[in-house]
């Protein structure tokens, strides 16, 4: 049973481009969470999704950021018109349900140049 | 709003010593608490999960306790080894519509050979 898979591991985008980050949860997990980690800072919650539904997006910036978790395929975190301040590590986690152990992927490190 | 605090922010101890890491949280309405370790540039590895109804969990040299009413958890590491050097993070999962994981800022542990 593979763990949580994130790709790409590293992503470089120029200012104004779009970044698409993918997360495949562990097999059987239908709950996905996205977090952002800035250098030397803690993990900040962004969004919590369950298959085809956004449960909690209280941590998502109001503009340029969106997330989805379709019935088939990975969860996608999309950042439009990236700016230098979007440079960070983005982590995805999954769990079987809302009160079981959460497992994290290795993260995608986004660099905006 | 849930706030999670970890003290100390950094800790250095000689190899072989036992040590305790502390985590406190402000809202006791939680489903569970989870301890993770993060190595530099890597993702998070789950160490222990304690459900809100439990008092402690053990895995090998690790023992985590939970006192929900006082909003505290400790992670005890016995007979520390250089390989234990990492940042340790605690995270609480809320309940009743607030099921995201809220993280502390972590304790950076260094084991001195």
């Amino acid at each position: 049973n593979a763990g949580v898979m994130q790709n790409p591991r590293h992503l470089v985008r120029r200012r104004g481009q779009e970044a698409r980050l993918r997360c495949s949860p562990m097999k059987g997990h239908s709950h996905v969470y996205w977090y952002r980690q800035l250098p030397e800072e803690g993990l900040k919650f962004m969004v919590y999704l369950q298959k085809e539904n956004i449960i909690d997006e209280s941590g998502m910036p109001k503009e340029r950021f969106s997330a989805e978790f379709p019935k088939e395929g990975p969860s996608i975190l999309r950042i439009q018109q990236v700016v230098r301040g979007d440079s960070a590590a983005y982590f995805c986690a999954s769990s079987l349900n809302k009160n079981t152990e959460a497992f994290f992927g290795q993260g995608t490190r986004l660099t905006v140049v | 709003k849930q706030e999670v605090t970890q003290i100390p922010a950094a800790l250095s101890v000689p190899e072989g010593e036992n040590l305790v890491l502390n985590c406190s949280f402000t809202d006791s309405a939680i489903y569970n608490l989870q301890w993770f370790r993060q190595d530099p540039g890597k993702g998070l590895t789950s160490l222990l999960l304690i459900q809100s109804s439990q008092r402690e969990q053990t895995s090998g040299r690790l023992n985590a306790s939970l006192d929900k009413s006082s909003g505290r958890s400790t992670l005890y590491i016995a007979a520390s080894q250089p390989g234990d050097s990492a940042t340790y993070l605690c995270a609480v999962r809320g309940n009743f519509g607030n099921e995201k994981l809220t993280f502390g800022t972590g304790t950076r542990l260094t084991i001195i050979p």
Side-chain angles (χ1 to χ4, degrees):
Chain A
N1 185 8
V4 178
M5 304 300 290
Q6 290 188 250
N7 66 80
R9 292 291 306 278
H10 300 274
L11 182 62
V12 179
R13 283 289 177 265
R14 295 187 183 279
R15 279 180 296 171
Q17 290 185 320
E18 178 180 288
R20 291 171 69 89
L21 287 62
R22 294 175 183 76
C23 170
S24 296
M26 289 181 69
K27 187 176 181 180
H29 286 194
S30 61
H31 297 247
V32 165
Y33 314 81
W34 285 93
Y35 287 80
R36 176 163 63 178
Q37 187 176 41
L38 294 168
E40 303 302 319
E41 291 190 16
L43 281 96
K44 302 298 183 186
F45 169 77
M46 299 183 74
V47 62
Y48 164 30
L49 310 104
Q50 194 179 356
K51 280 289 186 180
E52 299 185 274
N53 293 304
I54 295 175
I55 307 301
D56 182 350
E57 57 182 346
S58 58
M60 288 280 270
K62 293 289 186 287
E63 298 177 348
R64 303 189 296 109
F65 285 72
S66 62
E68 63 177 7
F69 188 17
K71 188 176 180 181
E72 301 291 336
S75 176
I76 306 289
L77 179 67
R78 182 182 178 204
I79 311 172
Q80 295 178 293
Q81 299 174 339
V82 297
V83 300
R84 288 227 171 104
D86 296 332
S87 296
Y90 292 82
F91 290 96
C92 166
S94 74
S95 63
L96 188 62
N97 57 51
K98 64 183 179 182
N99 62 353
T100 54
E101 191 172 6
F103 296 89
F104 277 75
Q106 290 298 301
T108 292
R109 281 152 185 81
L110 173 66
T111 302
V112 179
V113 297
Chain B
K1 179 186 173 186
Q2 179 73 270
E3 293 183 2
V4 182
T5 304
Q6 291 187 247
I7 294 173
L11 180 65
S12 294
V13 299
E15 180 178 0
E17 283 198 3
N18 304 324
L19 59 101
V20 175
L21 307 179
N22 297 293
C23 172
S24 61
F25 48 95
T26 55
D27 186 351
S28 62
I30 65 170
Y31 265 133
N32 54 48
L33 182 146
Q34 200 167 347
W35 282 94
F36 297 87
R37 69 173 278 169
Q38 185 177 29
D39 294 282
K42 303 291 186 182
L44 280 71
T45 300
S46 178
L47 298 173
L48 287 163
L49 171 74
I50 311 179
Q51 298 293 353
S52 61
S53 58
Q54 297 176 320
R55 297 284 294 182
E56 66 178 82
Q57 281 287 340
T58 298
S59 176
R61 294 183 294 109
L62 306 179
N63 177 278
S65 68
L66 174 64
D67 184 342
K68 195 176 78 163
S69 61
S70 67
R72 293 179 182 177
S73 176
T74 62
L75 179 66
Y76 175 84
I77 303 177
S80 58
Q81 303 171 358
D84 295 330
S85 297
T87 296
Y88 289 79
L89 297 157
C90 75
V92 295
R93 187 190 289 272
N95 56 18
F96 303 123
N98 185 30
E99 288 91 7
K100 63 179 179 286
L101 281 166
T102 301
F103 280 85
T105 49
T107 295
R108 185 177 298 178
L109 176 66
T110 302
I111 306 300
I112 305 164

